[in-house]
Amino acid sequence: MLRKQLFKNPFNIDMMNIEKVNVAEKLTSFKEYWSPKIVGELNQQLVKVAKFKGDFVMHQHENEDELFFVITGTLYIELENKTLELQAGEFALIPKGVLHKPYAPEEVHVMLFEPAATLNTGNLINDRTVTDIDRI
Ligand code: NI
């Protein structure tokens, strides 16, 4: 069997910069709803956390699939012909082009995974659009 040789730290990564991330702690550091915060980045994708409460807007993303992972609470994602109900520990992938409207009657905490180019309101630009996303 052909095996690739393992190189020791070929990219010269400073191991001291590799840290765990405590998601619950990140979530205590902000209060705003519908304003995702960046908590990590890998392979041109951003890892974000957000708090949702109430209704968002129906929107779609032309070029990006979206991942919604529920940490606490219940998240509903309304699609054109059905509504997903996500509980803590569950996630859904919304393929590009699919209209979706997240909503949460009670506060819900979510993790999002999407390319850096993704706008939270997709093809809509309105007062809910967040363009300058904080890193926390
Ligand atoms: Ni979206």
Side-chain angles (χ1 to χ4, degrees):
M1 190 194 299
L2 188 66
R3 286 180 184 271
K4 284 196 175 162
Q5 190 180 347
L6 293 174
F7 293 98
K8 194 173 176 182
N9 197 9
F11 303 110
N12 262 324
I13 302 296
D14 182 350
M15 304 295 165
M16 297 309 288
N17 291 334
I18 301 176
E19 301 277 5
K20 68 179 182 181
V21 175
N22 185 307
V23 174
E25 266 173 29
K26 296 288 187 190
L27 283 160
T28 60
S29 72
F30 68 97
K31 287 192 164 63
E32 318 97 272
Y33 296 127
W34 307 108
S35 182
K37 311 294 182 195
I38 298 167
V39 294
E41 186 167 359
L42 72 163
N43 304 322
Q44 291 84 51
Q45 305 274 321
L46 297 178
V47 181
K48 302 173 185 172
V49 293
K51 295 180 176 180
F52 296 162
K53 189 177 180 186
D55 279 345
F56 201 56
V57 288
M58 181 69 90
H59 65 280
Q60 67 198 145
H61 305 273
E62 270 181 47
N63 301 307
E64 304 103 31
D65 307 324
E66 245 188 335
L67 180 150
F68 293 86
F69 176 72
V70 175
I71 298 163
T72 57
T74 304
L75 174 67
Y76 296 89
I77 303 177
E78 187 183 328
L79 306 175
E80 275 183 285
N81 55 8
K82 71 173 189 178
T83 298
L84 301 173
E85 179 184 328
L86 305 182
Q87 305 291 345
E90 297 180 327
F91 75 85
L93 296 169
I94 308 300
K96 62 187 169 192
V98 171
L99 282 165
H100 57 284
K101 177 189 162 180
Y103 66 94
E106 303 298 331
E107 181 169 309
V108 59
H109 297 172
V110 300
M111 180 172 278
L112 309 168
F113 190 69
E114 56 203 15
T118 301
L119 277 182
N120 62 329
T121 51
N123 59 337
L124 300 175
I125 305 290
N126 58 25
D127 61 337
R128 311 297 289 275
T129 305
V130 180
T131 50
D132 203 6
I133 305 178
D134 297 330
R135 280 174 196 266
I136 60 171

